[in-house]
Amino acid sequence: MTTEIVDPLPATRRPKGIRRVLRRVSASVGLAITVIFLLLTVLAPLVAPYDPYDQDLSSALSPPSWIHLLGADQYGRDMLSRVLYGTRTALLAVVVADGLALAVGCTLGLLSGFFGGWVEAVIMRIVDMVLAFPYLLLALIIVAALGPGLTHSMIAIGIVYTPQYARLLRGQVLSVRQSDYVRASRALGASRLRLMLRHVLPNSVTPILVMATLQAGSVVVETAGLSFLGLGAQPPSPDWGALLADGQSYFLTAWWIATFPGLAIFLVVLGFNLLGDALRDHFDPRRSA
């Protein structure tokens, strides 16, 4: 006598792809925050009530009101407008810094994992040397050498996060290159370039995508940190880190100058982290049960 197991959720009704990820409340919240962040980046000129650079000394240090919903800074500039425009700097940092780390790190990881031997030894020793430095210290050294500025701070952060992508992809490539389909393609005469780009890389990038999402929040924090220290975006740029630096001297008398940029950083980082955790759970078969 056999026992029939009935699937409580028919295959035709099982959520797939993005719907399966969004079943989690945390994933939906993370995606919503990320989408709002992206929309504000595009719509900042339409949503912001004032020009973020316009000064009105008669409104200097004005508390939140109907005229200035998030208050005004020491120069009378509208804080809501400056926070909204700060989303552009944050998104630019994510695209440039995280993109640079992703491109360079994946290239190094792919080459070292696929070829092995002296190629792997040289690349991994360089990666280990970079990892030996604390992240913030290395970023400070690079920015100090290149000079302060948003572009240089993004390059520094990209270099700092490159080794993490390199090590992760190398581990994936070492596992994938021993797969049967890779061996079969090699036996059929596929070139090394074709094996790397057609078979090994596409089957190794899932953890990389998850890491890129999680690292996006860290990039926002690191960029704001360098700007806070005066090494990132320079005044009067409406960068969140620079806004925090402006507000530290007025925190007891004008708390809104530092509070709202800090909340913006918190929400964006929270959104990326929640979305990254959801993607990790979705792609990890041990967590998807």
Side-chain angles (χ1 to χ4, degrees):
M1 181 177 178
T2 60
T3 302
E4 182 180 359
I5 300 177
V6 180
D7 190 344
L9 188 60
T12 56
R13 295 177 55 193
R14 290 175 186 165
K16 299 180 180 180
I18 190 65
R19 288 190 301 165
R20 183 180 177 184
V21 177
L22 294 180
R23 284 190 303 175
R24 299 174 181 267
V25 176
S26 59
S28 301
V29 173
L31 181 61
I33 294 175
T34 305
V35 170
I36 292 174
F37 167 62
L38 295 176
L39 288 177
L40 290 177
T41 302
V42 178
L43 301 177
L46 301 177
V47 178
Y50 300 94
D51 188 298
Y53 301 100
D54 282 350
Q55 300 183 13
D56 180 11
L57 296 180
S58 63
S59 300
L61 301 179
S62 297
S65 63
W66 288 112
I67 300 176
H68 299 286
L69 294 180
L70 301 186
D73 66 4
Q74 65 272 31
Y75 300 108
R77 296 173 297 195
D78 182 65
M79 286 301 302
L80 175 59
S81 301
R82 292 181 65 77
V83 170
L84 288 175
Y85 271 84
T87 59
R88 294 187 159 190
T89 303
L91 179 63
L92 181 63
V94 170
V95 172
V96 175
D98 209 13
L100 176 63
L102 182 65
V104 178
C106 288
T107 300
L108 297 177
L110 178 61
L111 293 176
S112 62
F114 187 83
F115 289 103
W118 68 268
V119 175
E120 179 182 19
V122 171
I123 292 177
M124 286 298 104
R125 296 300 75 77
I126 295 175
V127 168
D128 291 339
M129 290 174 58
V130 176
L131 286 173
F133 288 88
Y135 292 156
L136 182 57
L137 176 60
L138 180 58
L140 290 174
I141 293 174
I142 296 173
V143 174
L146 298 177
L150 180 60
T151 301
H152 293 164
S153 66
M154 292 187 296
I155 294 175
I157 295 171
I159 295 174
V160 166
Y161 285 111
T162 292
Q164 300 183 34
Y165 288 104
R167 296 190 70 174
L168 178 59
L169 188 61
R170 169 184 169 270
Q172 290 296 116
V173 171
L174 288 175
S175 175
V176 172
R177 75 175 186 177
Q178 302 299 328
S179 302
D180 292 337
Y181 56 85
V182 175
R183 294 178 178 177
S185 298
R186 184 182 292 111
L188 292 174
S191 64
R192 288 184 173 182
L193 183 62
R194 180 180 177 84
L195 287 174
M196 282 194 300
L197 301 182
R198 183 70 180 273
H199 301 287
V200 176
L201 182 59
N203 292 284
S204 305
V205 296
T206 298
I208 296 297
L209 297 178
V210 175
M211 174 177 276
T213 306
L214 292 171
Q215 293 285 42
S218 299
V219 168
V220 173
V221 173
E222 296 288 352
T223 305
L226 291 177
S227 297
F228 181 83
L229 296 175
L231 299 175
Q234 300 298 301
S237 174
D239 178 84
W240 290 338
L243 297 181
L244 287 174
D246 290 340
Q248 66 173 337
S249 301
Y250 301 92
F251 191 76
L252 296 179
T253 57
W255 55 267
W256 52 88
I257 299 178
T259 299
F260 293 116
L263 287 176
I265 295 173
F266 168 76
L267 289 175
V268 170
V269 174
L270 177 65
F272 279 122
N273 286 345
L274 291 177
L275 186 58
D277 286 339
L279 291 176
R280 181 190 59 192
D281 295 344
H282 174 68
F283 289 119
D284 190 346
R286 294 170 297 182
R287 294 173 175 266
S288 60

